[in-house]
Amino acid sequence: MTYTLGLLGLGTVGTGVVQILQTPHQRHPLLKDIKLKRVGVRSPDKPRDVQLDPACLTSDLESIVTDPDIQIVVEVLGGLEPSRTLILNAIAQGKHVVTANKAVIARYGEEIFAAAAEAGVYVLLEAAVGGGIPVLQPLKQCLGGNRIKRITGIVNGTTNFILSQMSQTQANFGDVLTIAQERGYAEADPSADVDGEDAADKIAILASIAFGEQVDRESVFCEGIRAITADDIRYADEWSFVVKLLAIASRCPDNPDELDLRVHPTLLPREHPLAGVNQVDNAVLIEGEPIGQVMFFGPGAGRGPTASAVVSDILNVAAALTTGVKLANPLLSSSYPRHASVKAIDAVSQRYYARILAADMPGVLGAIGHSFGDCGVSLESIVQKDRAGDTAEIVVLTHDVSERKFQQALTLIRSHPSISKVATVLRVLPEGTNS
């Protein structure tokens, strides 16, 4: 039996999908039954890395989702629109959808999956999180009998490359970002990656699956890596930490009906399983009961890895259509009627690191210490580090304290006449998340 495919987008991922479909030898036998009929592109005359019949290409994307001969629509355009509208139109036409679009799913997943449930079609999205790492299906199926406690992930290859290079070369953020762009690891506009938005999309999707609740993407606290310097990474190393952009989703120990969802650069103990994940690799550490810890590791982005996940979903749809056996829990919203209650970031407690620039004069360390103490912040360490002219760097590591109290202390410190600025604030991985 032949299954006809329409592909929306022929960029990096779309090209990888076509290359796999065109070389089915020694791959899954169902691949020979997948026929690529139409490919939607913005510029049909643009040179391509794959050979396709020119008649296959079209700039009329709507014609693909309405083509009665196409059974499966693959969306790898990226961005919110027209992707969202095309996905919904494909579902309305009774077509199954495979997408790698984490931004659309994170923001409009409830609408999309409700439409898919009503139409009786599949929407699969393994490539939306972790690139080539199979994590969504294992989370839904293989780990389905577990009570998931926490997910901690390095889920953005661009930021992981930047932080890894900063650690290895002692270069600053701007210089390493330029290298990442030259190597194709970062976009010309890297904002979605370096500001944490991409990782927040992904943790919203993971949390929905792990905890069985609809997650409002805007409820995920999000902070990026632009403010981190080589000095911060060096000081962290002196305390046996590495710096990683982590996406964290967990049930709050004090209120299991509440979720803690956040993305931010984090000081991670060197012995933690995620500490050795470097360069463009991704990893997702899942903690559950009774299984304990399971980590999924591998290439999190790029043509081959992401295309691998897309084609896996295509094969899953084809297998379901061939056998008549429904996929297990393919529609996220069908069993997730409850909207997640998310704990406000200012109510979260953990340890903190801060790098403060201050006048190099007597009494400054004491003033900073008193400001923290007045706000109920207990300090594990306060050290004066490098000095440039009349300015000294003071580095602070706290014990566990609420975000609210910590920020109150920083406000008080900023008001002190000897303080130039609070240059960097980093959170330390919460207790209980180490191996």
Side-chain angles (χ1 to χ4, degrees):
M1 187 172 181
T2 299
Y3 302 102
T4 307
L5 192 74
L7 177 63
L8 301 174
L10 195 57
T12 299
V13 177
T15 297
V17 171
V18 172
Q19 289 173 335
I20 294 174
L21 295 178
Q22 290 180 338
T23 57
H25 181 59
Q26 294 183 339
R27 305 188 196 275
H28 195 286
L30 262 181
L31 270 181
K32 69 181 186 319
D33 297 329
I34 307 295
K35 176 187 176 184
L36 180 61
K37 182 180 181 184
R38 303 293 299 281
V39 179
V41 295
R42 292 185 176 89
S43 305
D45 297 329
K46 178 182 175 181
R48 308 287 174 184
D49 290 342
V50 289
Q51 295 295 320
L52 286 168
D53 183 345
C56 177
L57 299 173
T58 179
S59 59
D60 183 1
L61 305 184
E62 186 68 26
S63 70
I64 293 178
V65 302
T66 58
D67 187 330
D69 292 333
I70 290 176
Q71 297 157 286
I72 305 170
V73 171
V74 177
E75 185 275 313
V76 288
L77 293 167
L80 296 179
E81 289 292 355
S83 299
R84 168 184 165 272
T85 298
L86 290 166
I87 288 171
L88 288 171
N89 287 351
I91 291 169
Q93 298 290 324
K95 302 184 190 308
H96 307 286
V97 174
V98 171
T99 181
N101 196 323
K102 62 269 182 184
V104 164
I105 296 300
R107 290 164 178 80
Y108 303 111
E110 184 175 7
E111 176 187 24
I112 288 168
F113 293 120
E118 184 175 350
V121 298
Y122 296 119
V123 175
L124 299 185
L125 56 140
E126 187 64 56
V129 179
I133 306 170
V135 61
L136 299 188
Q137 288 296 332
L139 185 57
K140 285 191 290 184
Q141 297 177 5
C142 306
L143 301 178
N146 285 266
R147 183 181 293 113
I148 304 300
K149 297 180 178 179
R150 181 182 294 107
I151 297 176
T152 312
I154 296 171
V155 293
N156 183 272
T158 299
T159 51
N160 203 40
F161 173 81
I162 291 171
L163 293 173
S164 297
Q165 287 292 305
M166 289 175 68
S167 176
Q168 293 170 11
T169 67
Q170 290 75 56
N172 274 314
F173 171 80
D175 296 329
V176 178
L177 173 59
T178 299
I179 295 171
Q181 290 170 323
E182 290 171 350
R183 296 189 186 181
Y185 297 149
E187 302 288 345
D189 178 3
S191 300
D193 294 320
V194 301
D195 293 334
E197 300 293 338
D198 174 83
D201 291 342
K202 293 170 181 175
I203 199 64
I205 294 169
L206 284 166
S208 290
I209 297 172
F211 303 118
E213 299 178 12
Q214 290 292 338
V215 170
D216 178 2
R217 165 61 179 79
E218 300 309 313
S219 68
V220 180
F221 175 80
C222 186
E223 190 175 283
I225 66 169
R226 292 182 191 266
I228 297 172
T229 68
D231 287 337
D232 294 314
I233 291 176
R234 177 161 55 91
Y235 299 151
D237 180 68
E238 292 173 4
W239 276 321
S240 298
F241 291 113
V242 299
V243 181
K244 297 292 184 183
L245 183 74
L246 291 188
I248 299 169
S250 66
R251 288 208 177 275
C252 298
D254 56 340
N255 182 4
D257 291 331
E258 204 170 36
L259 300 183
D260 178 9
L261 303 176
R262 46 204 165 101
V263 170
H264 50 68
T266 309
L267 295 188
L268 194 64
R270 274 203 208 110
E271 66 272 13
H272 191 278
L274 294 173
V277 179
N278 292 312
Q279 303 306 317
V280 294
D281 283 330
N282 282 196
V284 178
L285 180 69
I286 299 173
E287 300 173 62
E289 187 277 319
I291 196 169
Q293 291 186 340
V294 178
M295 190 166 89
F296 298 84
F297 165 84
R303 176 178 295 181
T306 309
S308 168
V310 169
V311 173
S312 172
D313 278 345
I314 294 170
L315 287 171
N316 280 333
V317 174
L321 298 178
T322 298
T323 63
V325 177
K326 291 185 177 181
L327 297 178
N329 192 22
L331 304 174
L332 303 186
S333 68
S334 62
S335 57
Y336 302 163
R338 183 176 183 272
H339 283 256
S341 173
V342 179
K343 190 169 190 173
I345 188 65
D346 66 355
V348 172
S349 293
Q350 59 199 357
R351 297 160 72 199
Y352 292 84
Y353 158 101
R355 180 169 57 88
I356 301 166
L357 304 185
D360 187 19
M361 55 187 291
V364 172
L365 278 177
I368 293 173
H370 280 301
S371 296
F372 278 118
D374 290 344
C375 295
V377 180
S378 174
L379 299 183
E380 180 176 325
S381 177
I382 178 168
V383 183
Q384 181 170 326
K385 306 295 281 189
D386 295 345
R387 182 175 66 182
D390 295 331
T391 301
E393 279 189 327
I394 297 168
V395 180
V396 172
L397 191 65
T398 77
H399 291 294
D400 274 359
V401 64
S402 73
E403 176 96 11
R404 184 182 298 109
K405 289 183 178 180
F406 181 73
Q407 293 297 340
Q408 287 172 348
L410 292 186
T411 299
L412 188 59
I413 288 167
R414 290 186 182 102
S415 69
H416 197 281
S418 64
I419 303 301
S420 300
K421 68 173 182 176
V422 177
T424 313
V425 172
L426 299 173
R427 295 162 182 83
V428 182
L429 190 73
E431 293 295 332
T433 58
N434 296 353
S435 60

